[in-house]
Amino acid sequence: MQHNTQGSAKDVKLVEIQNLTKHYKNKAALLDLNLTLEPGHIVGLLGPNGSGKTTLLKILTGVIRDYSGKVTIQGNEIGPSTKALVSYLPDSSYFSPWMCPLDVISLFKDFYSDFDEKKCIEMLGRLGLSEKQKIKTMSKGMLEKFQLCLVMSRNALLYLLDEPIGGVDPAARDFILDTILSNYNEAGTIFMSTHLISNVERIFDTVMFLKEGEIVLQDDIDNIRLKEGKSIDQLFREVFKC
Ligand SMILES: Nc1ncnc2c1ncn2[C@@H]1O[C@H](COP(=O)(O)OP(=O)(O)OP(=O)(O)O)[C@@H](O)[C@H]1O
């Protein structure tokens, strides 16, 4: 696998996006977006419905390819080499309903050299999930927990999590967030979208607000709280008041 070898490691950003624009037919979902992510951060990607969060995550994953602008991960344009660096939790399930976790784990083991099977099985147990329950019989929250176990069991450089706790009951949310915190590769970065800001903001060190495909705020969470004197949830409600 070819990875970028140009420039010093210090110069190469984990994620670098320049002038990214994505249209669906004639509607812009992302508009001339510029963004840099450094390793070792937990970044919240926040914005109202339809602001472009899923589109941005899908572009970084390589699922969406028809865009303009420059998008690189570790200096490499999005492609097979970057897919190996990225662990992606999509906003919906892509497994066959007849499969059980053990079937999917076996696929992940074959597909990703950085996948830690033992870690995944341990995590399933801690979250109270059975290795043999068919996907089609799982509730939305159970399936979300299972997908999260898979994604967090990779030793990736970039974790892209699209609304990871949307279907999880409130009592389990903190447990899931702690599962995320204690299972990611700390040399990497988590880039996470969520609408459950008050539940999740404690784990972010940086947040960005996306509005109609453009970044309208990006800052360190402590700076925001200091400058604004309010929580991220409160600020979000003010900025995006309907
Ligand atoms: N497959 C598609 N075809 C046409 N338009 C799309 C498609 N997917 C997304 N869009 C449009 O692109 C814009 C951004 O959508 P996107 O799903 O990225 O937003 P989002 O911020 O993730 O929203 P949500 O918070 O509701 O999940 C929206 O206007 C949406 O209608």
Side-chain angles (χ1 to χ4, degrees), residues 24 27-29 47-56 91 162 195 210:
Y24 292 103
K27 186 176 186 309
N49 294 125
S51 54
K53 303 179 295 297
T54 296
T55 301
L56 176 58
D91 60 346
D162 197 352
H195 291 299
L210 204 56

Side-chain angles (χ1 to χ4, degrees), residues 8-99:
S8 73
K10 199 165 160 273
D11 298 334
V12 176
K13 308 287 183 210
L14 177 59
V15 172
E16 191 150 29
I17 296 179
Q18 289 167 352
N19 311 110
L20 171 62
T21 294
K22 160 72 188 162
H23 283 90
Y24 292 103
K25 298 218 168 109
N26 54 0
K27 186 176 186 309
L30 297 172
L31 204 55
D32 203 24
L33 187 139
N34 293 287
L35 160 70
T36 302
L37 296 179
E38 305 280 354
H41 291 278
I42 303 184
V43 183
L45 175 60
L46 311 176
N49 294 125
S51 54
K53 303 179 295 297
T54 296
T55 301
L56 176 58
L57 294 177
K58 281 184 173 170
I59 286 172
L60 284 167
T61 315
V63 174
I64 293 177
R65 307 207 54 144
D66 56 333
Y67 57 83
S68 64
K70 191 169 179 205
V71 183
T72 59
I73 298 177
Q74 288 277 90
N76 298 275
E77 288 192 11
I78 305 297
S81 65
T82 61
K83 280 189 182 173
L85 307 173
V86 170
S87 191
Y88 173 50
L89 180 82
D91 60 346
S92 56
S93 168
Y94 51 90
F95 304 127
S96 303
W98 51 267
M99 290 178 128

Side-chain angles (χ1 to χ4, degrees), residues 53-153:
K53 303 179 295 297
T54 296
T55 301
L56 176 58
L57 294 177
K58 281 184 173 170
I59 286 172
L60 284 167
T61 315
V63 174
I64 293 177
R65 307 207 54 144
D66 56 333
Y67 57 83
S68 64
K70 191 169 179 205
V71 183
T72 59
I73 298 177
Q74 288 277 90
N76 298 275
E77 288 192 11
I78 305 297
S81 65
T82 61
K83 280 189 182 173
L85 307 173
V86 170
S87 191
Y88 173 50
L89 180 82
D91 60 346
S92 56
S93 168
Y94 51 90
F95 304 127
S96 303
W98 51 267
M99 290 178 128
C100 68
L102 279 184
D103 299 322
V104 183
I105 285 170
S106 164
L107 286 180
F108 262 62
K109 217 167 69 177
D110 290 344
F111 206 72
Y112 298 110
S113 59
D114 62 0
F115 180 69
D116 186 337
E117 179 186 15
K118 188 166 166 268
K119 187 175 181 178
C120 187
I121 290 177
E122 277 171 10
M123 237 189 276
L124 284 179
R126 264 183 277 126
L127 290 174
L129 299 173
S130 157
E131 296 161 25
K132 293 188 180 155
Q133 181 172 359
K134 291 253 184 300
I135 302 274
K136 66 179 177 194
T137 70
M138 288 185 179
S139 70
K140 186 170 178 248
M142 289 161 96
L143 192 53
E144 259 184 23
K145 286 178 184 172
F146 170 49
Q147 282 184 272
L148 196 66
C149 291
L150 290 167
V151 167
M152 298 318 294
S153 297

